[in-house]
Amino acid sequence: MNQFPHDFIWGSATSAYQIEGAHDKDGKGPSIWDAFCTIPNRIKNGDNGNVAIDHYSKYKEDIALMKSQGFKAYRFSIAWPRVMPDGKGEVNEKGIQFYSDLIDELLANDITPWVTLYHWDLPLALQTEEDGWLNDSIADRFEVYADLCFSRFGDRVKNWITLNEPWVVSILGYGQGAFAPGRKSNSEPYLAAHNLLRSHARAVKVYREKYAHQNGAIGITNNCDWREPLTDKPEDKEAAERAMLFFLGWFADPVYKGDYPAVMRERLGERLPQFSEEDREMVLGSSDFFGLNHYTTMYAANTDAGDVENDIAGNGGISDDQDVSLSQDKSWQLTAMDWAVVPWGCRKLLEWISARYDQPSIYITENGFACDDKEVNGAVDDSNTRLSYYKGYLTACKEAIDNGVDLKGYFAWSMFDNFEWALGYGSRFGLNWVDYETLERIPKASAIWFSQVIEKNSLDS
Ligand code: PNW
């Protein structure tokens, strides 16, 4: 009953800035995250990714751990400024060598690489000289960078993700200013998002035109919570749907339907850019699969225009633009980041995606639980926290599959504890605990449980 499809992909995920360290080694250029971390009071405890878990030196050890735990796939990202220090022009061959070696080591251990091209560490020069994602020309830059990656790694990498969570880049980076580049605006998020989508599509176009012989797949990964209507009132049901469209429809509708959701157009007017005919065609159909990062659920209720006080950006978008108020149920367990544990929200989200976008193949490219783990006598017991979260969410995934959702794979976030962006090293997501002094890795109860699940391809253990 708890058996997953025989070809279901079991993986774990990380990103470059969160684990690699070696921030200025072997010719790497600075990224907007290297710079953002030097501004006082932006990152909890003044943490940064300079060393992180030093995956750059320890990647072989890390891959051995993945192999011993049974993972068959590994999602990581390439740091653009490691392979192109200025984001354009010169290529850093030592950076290329690192990823090439990493890929070879994975393949030698029968682990399939899933490579994200952009997980937020934009080359700093593209920000200071060209305004990052606000400039149309970022699509030209991204295309050249993507082309470089396909040409150097595409003989061995068959699964590509262009962008990780353009919603986070837009809302947290350009709306709330909580993430790099730290901008606060109620219009820039929509422009950044537009250029993110155009850039994604340009990378896909070059991949399909020049690298079809590599026989790989390429797509985009979006993040979305589930929004459950607070009451049965029609206005709350409509508010929940509106919240979904402002969150996920914003990025998925252009790819699957050719334009932003109508409700966004109605409410945003001129702040929402228009696709040129050429861009619309390029974006439409530009994903071979539906990449989804999912963590939590909130209730959504309608508010009347102007009721929402936070006029910059609330969780799920820019609140004023949506007239949605969000809340949590008091009975829900919360993670250290106050994200509620609601497995049925995961099932409902998968079913919503399947219905709205005509049953795409979906990969959950992130799902996980943050808490303040402690090491006791060389072991970390996360059985009542992370482990029960994974059991609940994977059960929900299985129910969605049984209900007809084409869910083809699942990547746990994260393989290791790592640098959790503005929250620094305090919030641990890893299946493997990392001692940040000695950089020793210790498997947690959840990692041991995953090994059994993967071996049996079933949740019964
Ligand atoms: C994702 N939100 O970030 C990222 O892809 C990971 O790098 C990160 O470590 C992980 O989830 C856990 O945070 C998100 O505010 C950051 O809704 C913020 C949000 C969602 C995802």
Side-chain angles (χ1 to χ4, degrees), residues 18 119-120 164-165 167 295 339 366 413 420-421 429:
Q18 294 179 273
H119 201 125
W120 310 350
N164 180 66
E165 304 186 346
W167 179 91
Y295 290 90
W339 294 358
E366 285 183 26
W413 182 272
E420 181 48 36
W421 308 111
F429 267 101

Side-chain angles (χ1 to χ4, degrees), residues 34 96 194 367:
D34 287 306
I96 296 278
H194 195 71
N367 177 239

